[in-house]
């Protein structure tokens, strides 16, 4: 079902300094340590948390999707879950506790076990309980007869695969920012976004979101600093001296936070599609629209022009761009959000251009029918409209997209204008606004948005509404990245990533003097691994098995877009069933893309 997303951004008491000082002292006396003397110290406020025993057992079926439930039957006791107790407030552990869910697929060979490998899928605000299981499932289909497949299976032998629900997410400690406020209508079209009335509606929605989250007493404790400390407690309770970690997107920010707090506790760490840890959540979010515009202009419009018979959008990228900009404001309001959601994977390139074709046809039809509110009239006009000539199957598919846009988006937003409750992404905003400060001046934010409307008119729906501007001070202080600069970390980055742009990833990587990076020139997919190749995946798997790349940077070839000439494979597939493996990878990356919008 199509849904019009409405916001993202970032950033965010002075009493916090005292809390942080106490938190630091707790760490020094054992907050991230497995020192047995501190564990038995009755004066240690963390004692009850450190002395807990993780009672692994069968996973609660309500926490599993269908695929995970099937894997649970297949894996038996090798797949188990537990609820781990954590302090609500790391600065005052005796003030209360929370519980988070953890899922483990045990290493295949206990004698070869290296430790646990914890995964985070990004967001912030995304539940990561099933992430490790998803990667396990993909790699478990590897072909032992291929060199790459055998290495992938070796990783499953040597690591416990761990997924966990960060505080504020999942079933056990969900941050609820529900409100009875009615969402004010906000026009996200370039011509309507910054009109005075529309701008005030956006500001009102943002303030209502802030108030809804601030009303929940749990909100101040949902931040990256607390989650990083939760991760270290998990490491200790698992009995591991080091934390092995794989983070995607925001998970690279969380990984940086952990590594900067506990550099001596870092084992193997992979950061895939790096959020700019040198900046703020707000700066990282504002960088997304220009990156998406770059994908649109430099990759996807030329791609459409190369294949005019398939896409029926024209033979000139500039003319296609002009056609899009000439659509009605109502269609542009919808189009940007629809397209932004399809910039996470290059395998979605055809779908991206199909949406443009569907929007163009629907716009033309709505301009012709006497009553755009008449569903029957619109359906009849769409049936008579040719979207893709000489390709009946694709013509029908794009027509179906156009009807879905009409029924699910255009009609509710522009015809019915129903009064819906304001939806608040509590976990997302709590982490974003608590971690780092945002602009706190309406005029400054308006100036920023004015520039964005001019430069990236299609991709403004995700940033206009920003609760962080009225949130107040951030509740934590980001640790100094210098602490992790000497660690042997592996990063992965595609050149045109639209969610975690390469400029921010470059700044992050430049601070990591001992890190290595795998680059993918020409690729724009967000969350690269698994890539089902013998370069990116080989470097990642060998790194996890203890072999870091020798070069500071390694470049791997990008896969062609779906309609471009296919590359001839030079090696056999690493999977027993390559099509099934690719379908699993696509499904996994769809979930990663849902984290940042």
């Amino acid at each position: 079902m199509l849904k019009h997303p409405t916001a993202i951004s970032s950033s965010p008491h002075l009493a916090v300094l005292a809390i942080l000082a106490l938190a630091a002292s707790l760490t020094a006396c054992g907050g991230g340590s497995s020192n047995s003397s501190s564990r038995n110290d009755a004066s240690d406020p963390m004692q009850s948390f450190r002395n807990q025993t993780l009672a692994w057992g069968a996973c609660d079926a309500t926490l599993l999707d269908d695929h995970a439930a099937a894997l649970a039957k297949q894996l038996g006791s090798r797949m188990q879950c537990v609820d781990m107790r954590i302090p609500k407030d790391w600065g005052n552990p005796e003030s209360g506790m929370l519980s988070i869910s953890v899922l483990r697929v045990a290493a295949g060979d206990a004698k070869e076990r290296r430790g646990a490998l914890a995964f985070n899928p990004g967001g912030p605000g995304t539940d990561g309980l099933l992430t490790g299981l998803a990667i396990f499932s993909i790699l478990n289909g590897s072909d032992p007869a291929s060199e790459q497949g055998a290495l992938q299976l070796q990783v499953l032998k040597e690591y416990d695969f761990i997924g966990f629900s960060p505080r504020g997410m999942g079933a056990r400690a969900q941050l609820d920012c529900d409100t009875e406020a009615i969402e004010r209508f906000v026009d996200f079209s370039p011509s309507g976004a910054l009109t005075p009335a529309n701008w005030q509606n956006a500001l009102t929605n943002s303030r209502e979101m802030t108030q809804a989250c601030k009303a929940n007493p749990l909100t101040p404790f949902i931040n990256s600093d607390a989650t990083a400390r939760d991760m270290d407690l998990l490491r200790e309770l698992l009995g591991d001296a080091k934390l092995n970690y794989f983070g995607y997107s925001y998970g690279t920010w969380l990984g940086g936070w952990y590594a900067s707090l506990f550099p001596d506790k870092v084992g193997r760490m992979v950061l895939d599609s790096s959020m700019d840890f040198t900046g703020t959540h707000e700066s990282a979010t504002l960088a997304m629209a220009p990156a998406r515009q770059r994908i649109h202009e430099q990759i996807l419009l030329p791609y459409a022009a190369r294949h005019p018979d398939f896409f029926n959008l024209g033979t000139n990228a500039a003319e296609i761009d002009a056609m899009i900009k000439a659509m009605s404001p109502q269609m542009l309001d919808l189009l940007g959000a629809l397209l932004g959601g399809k910039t996470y994977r290059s395998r979605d390139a055809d779908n991206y251009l199909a949406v443009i074709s569907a929007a163009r046809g629907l716009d033309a039809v709505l301009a012709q029918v006497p009553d755009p509110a008449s569903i029957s009239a619109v359906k009849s006009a769409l049936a008579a409209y040719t979207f893709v000539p000489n390709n009946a199957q694709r013509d029908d598919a794009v027509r179906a997209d156009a009807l879905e846009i009409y029924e699910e988006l255009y009609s509710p937003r522009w015809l019915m204008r129903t009064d819906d409750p304001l939806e608040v992404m509590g976990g997302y905003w709590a982490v974003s606004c608590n971690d780092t400060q945002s602009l706190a001046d309406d005029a400054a934010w308006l100036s920023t948005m004015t520039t964005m409307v001019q430069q990236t008119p299609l991709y403004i729906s995700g940033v206009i509404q920003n609760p962080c501007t009225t949130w107040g001070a951030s509740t934590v202080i980001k640790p100094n990245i210098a602490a992790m600069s000497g660690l042997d970390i592996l990063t992965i980055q595609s050149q045109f990533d639209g969610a975690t742009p390469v400029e921010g990833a470059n700044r992050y990587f430049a601070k990591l003097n001992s890190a290595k990076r795998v680059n993918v020139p020409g690729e724009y997919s967000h969350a690269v691994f698994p890539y089902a190749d013998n370069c990116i995946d080989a470097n990642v798997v060998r790194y996890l098995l203890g072999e870091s790349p020798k070069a500071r940077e390694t470049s791997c070839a990008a896969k062609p877009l779906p309609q471009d000439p296919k590359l001839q494979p030079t090696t056999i597939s690493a999977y027993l069933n390559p099509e099934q493996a690719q379908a699993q990878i696509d499904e996994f990356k769809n979930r990663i893309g849902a984290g940042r919008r």
Side-chain angles (χ1 to χ4, degrees):
M1 179 175 177
L2 296 167
K3 183 175 177 64
H4 197 291
T6 54
I8 46 178
S9 200
S10 26
S11 298
H13 250 98
L14 241 60
V16 74
L17 295 177
I19 292 176
L20 289 171
L22 177 55
S25 68
L26 288 172
T27 301
C29 72
S33 168
S34 57
N35 185 300
S36 60
S37 63
S38 66
R39 289 173 62 93
N40 298 320
D41 183 356
S43 65
D44 181 5
M46 283 295 299
Q47 184 182 25
S48 65
F49 297 101
R50 289 203 181 90
N51 288 346
Q52 68 180 297
T53 298
L54 296 182
W56 297 96
C59 297
D60 182 344
T62 63
L63 303 180
L64 307 179
D65 59 20
D66 290 343
H67 182 62
L71 284 171
K73 292 181 180 179
Q74 175 186 332
L75 293 170
S77 61
R78 189 175 174 189
M79 172 180 160
Q80 295 182 313
C81 291
V82 71
D83 288 340
M84 184 181 83
R85 292 184 292 107
I86 56 174
K88 181 184 73 174
D89 179 0
W90 275 91
N92 183 14
E94 296 172 308
S95 65
M97 58 156 279
L98 302 173
S99 180
I100 62 171
S101 298
V102 184
L103 185 153
R104 175 181 68 183
V105 180
D109 191 329
K111 293 180 180 179
E112 295 188 51
R113 183 184 181 276
R114 287 176 175 268
L117 177 59
F119 290 83
N120 181 276
T126 303
D127 183 6
L129 183 67
L130 303 182
T131 305
L133 181 63
I135 296 294
F136 175 92
S137 179
I138 293 167
L139 299 184
N140 197 42
S142 298
D143 182 358
S146 78
E147 180 181 5
Q148 175 66 19
L151 290 173
Q152 291 174 177
L153 292 171
Q154 187 64 30
V155 171
L156 304 188
K157 285 185 178 181
E158 297 188 12
Y159 285 99
D160 298 342
F161 272 48
I162 299 288
F164 66 99
S165 300
R167 59 171 59 212
M169 300 89 190
R172 305 305 190 220
Q174 181 76 44
L175 178 66
D176 185 353
C177 291
D178 285 352
T179 175
E180 295 182 359
I182 299 300
E183 182 175 9
R184 295 202 179 191
F185 180 83
V186 177
D187 179 357
F188 298 111
S189 70
S191 61
L194 301 184
T195 59
N198 197 71
W199 179 246
Q200 286 305 312
N201 282 349
L203 292 179
T204 298
N205 285 342
S206 296
R207 293 185 179 112
E208 291 286 0
M209 293 180 196
T210 296
Q211 291 175 15
C213 280
K214 290 287 190 175
N216 191 321
L218 181 59
T219 295
F221 308 106
I222 308 302
N223 54 66
S224 296
D225 189 82
T227 298
R229 297 174 189 276
D230 297 342
M231 289 162 54
D232 197 59
L233 178 61
L234 175 60
R235 172 200 61 76
E236 182 177 351
L237 294 176
L238 290 172
D240 291 344
K242 305 279 187 179
L243 177 75
N244 304 295
Y245 176 82
F246 201 124
Y248 294 93
S249 192
Y250 159 76
T252 68
W253 172 285
L254 180 61
W257 204 296
Y258 179 90
S260 298
L261 283 179
F262 308 107
D264 59 325
K265 302 299 182 184
V266 175
R268 306 309 270 174
M269 178 174 282
V270 183
L271 306 179
D272 187 333
S273 305
S274 292
M275 186 176 166
D276 183 8
F277 190 61
T278 70
T280 64
H281 279 274
E282 179 177 275
S283 64
T285 296
L286 291 176
M288 292 170 65
R292 290 173 172 178
Q293 189 74 26
R294 182 165 54 202
I295 296 170
H296 178 77
E297 294 176 349
Q298 297 184 24
I299 298 180
L300 292 166
L301 295 185
Y303 175 54
R306 289 199 300 273
H307 304 282
D309 293 340
F310 187 81
F311 295 112
N312 192 38
L313 291 172
T315 60
N316 182 283
E319 292 176 0
I320 299 172
D321 191 35
M323 175 271 293
I324 295 169
K325 292 176 179 176
M327 290 188 198
S328 68
Q330 294 90 342
M331 198 57 59
L332 290 174
D333 162 81
L334 306 178
L335 191 57
L338 287 170
L339 295 180
K342 295 186 181 299
T343 57
Y344 288 95
R345 298 185 308 149
S346 57
R347 289 175 63 85
D348 275 338
D350 290 4
N351 292 333
Y352 182 102
L353 296 174
V355 166
I356 294 175
S357 182
R360 177 184 63 176
L362 177 60
D363 209 32
V365 162
L366 292 174
Q368 295 170 1
V369 296
D371 181 12
S374 171
I375 297 178
S376 60
V378 172
K379 283 185 175 180
S380 179
L382 286 174
Y385 187 92
T386 299
F387 290 87
V388 184
N390 304 319
N391 189 332
Q393 183 177 6
R394 185 162 177 81
D395 187 59
D396 288 343
V398 176
R399 182 177 293 105
D401 287 343
L403 181 60
E404 187 175 7
I405 293 172
Y406 172 77
E407 292 182 332
E408 301 291 341
L409 291 178
Y410 185 90
S411 184
R413 275 183 65 74
W414 290 102
L415 299 177
M416 292 185 285
R417 292 287 187 94
T418 54
D419 291 333
D420 294 322
L422 185 64
E423 294 184 12
V424 188
M425 299 183 296
Y428 180 91
W429 290 117
V431 174
S432 297
C433 304
N434 283 335
D435 274 8
T436 55
Q437 191 65 44
S438 177
L439 286 172
D441 178 82
D442 288 350
W445 190 246
L446 177 59
S447 176
T448 299
M449 291 301 100
T450 300
T451 299
M452 295 202 70
V453 168
Q454 294 169 349
Q455 296 179 351
T456 60
L458 278 178
Y459 304 108
I460 57 176
S461 63
V463 290
I464 287 181
Q465 298 182 131
N466 178 14
C468 296
T469 60
T470 56
W471 195 272
S474 53
T475 63
V476 290
I477 297 175
K478 188 172 62 171
N480 194 326
I481 193 175
M484 64 182 290
S485 64
L487 298 179
D488 180 15
I489 289 171
L490 181 66
T491 76
I492 316 168
Q493 188 68 31
S494 64
Q495 181 185 1
F496 290 94
D497 191 325
T500 52
V502 69
E503 294 85 355
N506 287 344
R507 287 190 290 271
Y508 193 176
F509 182 63
K511 298 286 186 180
L512 306 180
N513 299 328
S514 298
K516 307 295 173 59
R517 179 162 69 174
V518 177
N519 290 309
V520 196
E523 178 62 80
Y524 70 84
S525 291
H526 177 64
V528 180
F529 178 86
Y531 199 65
D533 77 330
N534 297 97
C535 181
I536 298 165
D537 290 3
N539 275 280
V540 172
V541 170
R542 290 183 183 278
Y543 170 81
L544 290 174
L545 293 175
E547 182 184 341
S548 300
K550 293 181 173 58
R552 169 77 165 160
E553 301 203 46
T554 301
S555 291
C556 293
K559 295 180 180 180
L561 297 176
Q563 302 308 313
D564 283 342
K566 303 298 185 290
L567 299 174
Q568 293 298 318
T570 58
T571 58
I572 65 172
S573 171
Y575 294 96
L576 292 168
N577 187 331
E579 292 76 18
Q580 182 184 66
Q582 188 61 61
Q584 286 184 279
I585 292 171
D586 289 346
E587 175 61 25
F588 170 71
K589 292 184 179 179
N590 278 336
R591 297 183 182 187
I592 296 292
R596 292 181 64 77
R597 292 186 295 180

